[in-house]
Amino acid sequence: MASNVAVKSRYPKTRRIRFQFGENDSSGKYFVNDDMVFSHFVAGLSGGFPPGEEAFIRSVRRFADQITDPVLKKRVAGFIGQESMHGQEHRRLNERLIDMGYGIEWFDRDSVIQAQKRFEQRIKDHTHLAMTAAAEHYTAVLAQRVLSSDEVQAIPGEPEVWNLLNWHALEELEHKSVAFDVYRATGGSEARRIAVMATMIALTFPFTLSALAVSVARDPQARRQPVRLAREAYRLFTGPLFKGLMPELAKYLRPGFHPDDIDTSALLERWQAELFGADGALVDHLK
């Protein structure tokens, strides 16, 4: 297990970055390995990230005046900065994906966002924050899989989209415990934390499958190839992103669990160097 002191001394760093989507893209509409289902899945993830991350930021800010630990205050500032940049760059990617024919514009409709805000106002502040902490575990688990799997990294795709996903995954690991620590520091209970995660596990997969099915169903080319769709869906859900995912998510349900119990420090150091070291792949993307 990683040392909590060592992990928490690394403040999440807000990197001002800009990606160049579409400038050298020769991959066509199905930009992930010419795979219709995988491409729709990634497009759906990207579509949901900006409003989702803004909701995460709101949940943490509701407790800003209760955070007294100066280290946690700095970590929260880094968390907010990183999540804001994620939303900004995913919105830029989403504009291109919508132009390519992906039906993800609904995630960012004002009516949807206002409904989300009304929901947040109706639930208890700690429930909203517990939802964020649970969602951060989801993203950390997926991020770890993306960055640690040679099989995932070898999947052909539009290079700048992969650059975005690797950057996003790195920063999800850098701030994976921030919302969780705010929840604990402000008196959030274990019972609520576990109950919220159990509910989200029960709801997330049906929602994800439904959203993916609707997105694919709106694609005329995909509708004409049901056998290919079935083959690609099977490959996605039995592949390295999803195989064995549930046990990793369920670790969060253990009483006393902390995100830093899962040691990703070596993976972080590797990818911080690969992306932002002296010869890092994304150094020229920084503003």
Side-chain angles (χ1 to χ4, degrees), residues 266-280:
L267 193 63
L268 271 175
E269 291 175 6
R270 171 191 160 192
W271 280 94
Q272 285 166 347
E274 289 196 18
L275 298 182
F276 299 107
D279 299 311

Side-chain angles (χ1 to χ4, degrees), residues 10-286:
R10 303 171 189 154
Y11 303 126
K13 181 178 182 180
T14 302
R15 300 175 178 93
R16 306 295 175 184
I17 195 165
R18 191 169 183 86
F19 295 91
Q20 304 301 321
F21 302 116
E23 291 195 359
N24 300 299
D25 182 6
S26 59
S27 57
K29 176 175 180 178
Y30 304 117
F31 57 94
V32 182
N33 197 23
D34 194 33
D35 185 310
M36 292 188 294
V37 175
F38 208 147
S39 298
H40 274 276
F41 172 72
V42 172
L45 276 182
S46 186
F49 277 137
E53 286 166 337
E54 287 168 358
F56 299 165
I57 291 171
R58 289 193 297 271
S59 74
V60 172
R61 280 182 168 158
R62 290 166 86 168
F63 290 89
D65 60 350
Q66 298 182 39
I67 301 171
T68 58
D69 179 7
V71 173
L72 185 54
K73 280 181 176 289
K74 289 183 180 180
R75 293 173 62 222
V76 166
F79 169 84
I80 291 173
Q82 287 188 340
E83 295 288 53
S84 296
M85 285 302 302
H86 296 171
Q88 174 180 303
E89 289 305 295
H90 274 282
R91 275 203 171 95
R92 294 184 57 250
L93 172 59
N94 293 344
E95 290 175 1
R96 169 140 182 88
L97 293 173
I98 291 167
D99 288 343
M100 292 166 64
Y102 290 95
I104 59 173
E105 66 283 349
W106 68 271
F107 284 103
D108 230 3
R109 285 180 185 149
D110 185 65
S111 59
V112 174
I113 293 173
Q114 293 306 316
Q116 170 66 22
K117 289 181 177 179
R118 288 193 297 271
F119 171 74
E120 292 168 11
Q121 294 301 316
R122 291 190 183 107
I123 62 177
K124 294 183 180 298
D125 290 358
H126 269 116
T127 298
H128 187 196
L129 186 57
M131 292 171 65
T132 295
E136 288 293 308
H137 181 63
Y138 272 83
T139 54
V141 168
L142 286 174
Q144 184 176 3
R145 286 176 167 235
V146 167
L147 297 180
S148 64
S149 171
D150 292 338
E151 186 178 354
V152 172
Q153 289 295 320
I155 295 172
E158 201 282 301
E160 198 72 336
V161 174
W162 280 120
N163 284 335
L164 168 70
L165 294 177
N166 285 335
W167 159 73
H168 191 160
L170 168 68
E171 295 195 345
E172 288 300 324
L173 291 182
E174 287 179 334
H175 68 233
K176 67 179 182 178
S177 62
V178 173
F180 188 102
D181 286 339
V182 173
Y183 179 81
R184 274 198 175 169
T186 57
S189 72
E190 280 288 272
R192 186 192 303 268
R193 176 185 73 79
I194 292 170
V196 166
M197 182 54 145
T199 303
M200 288 180 63
I201 288 176
L203 296 177
T204 298
F205 285 101
F207 173 81
T208 300
L209 290 172
S210 299
L212 178 59
V214 169
S215 182
V216 171
R218 294 174 63 186
D219 184 337
Q221 185 174 341
R223 289 200 302 270
R224 291 193 294 268
Q225 302 181 68
V227 174
R228 177 181 172 182
L229 283 179
R231 183 174 63 248
E232 291 178 350
Y234 177 81
R235 188 165 62 211
L236 173 63
F237 290 108
T238 60
L241 273 185
F242 284 94
K243 187 177 181 180
L245 181 63
M246 187 60 70
E248 293 186 36
L249 293 177
K251 290 178 182 179
Y252 192 95
L253 300 175
R254 175 177 59 81
F257 171 83
H258 189 280
D260 294 335
D261 292 345
I262 302 170
D263 186 358
T264 53
S265 55
L267 193 63
L268 271 175
E269 291 175 6
R270 171 191 160 192
W271 280 94
Q272 285 166 347
E274 289 196 18
L275 298 182
F276 299 107
D279 299 311
L282 299 184
V283 169
D284 63 345
H285 287 52
L286 295 171

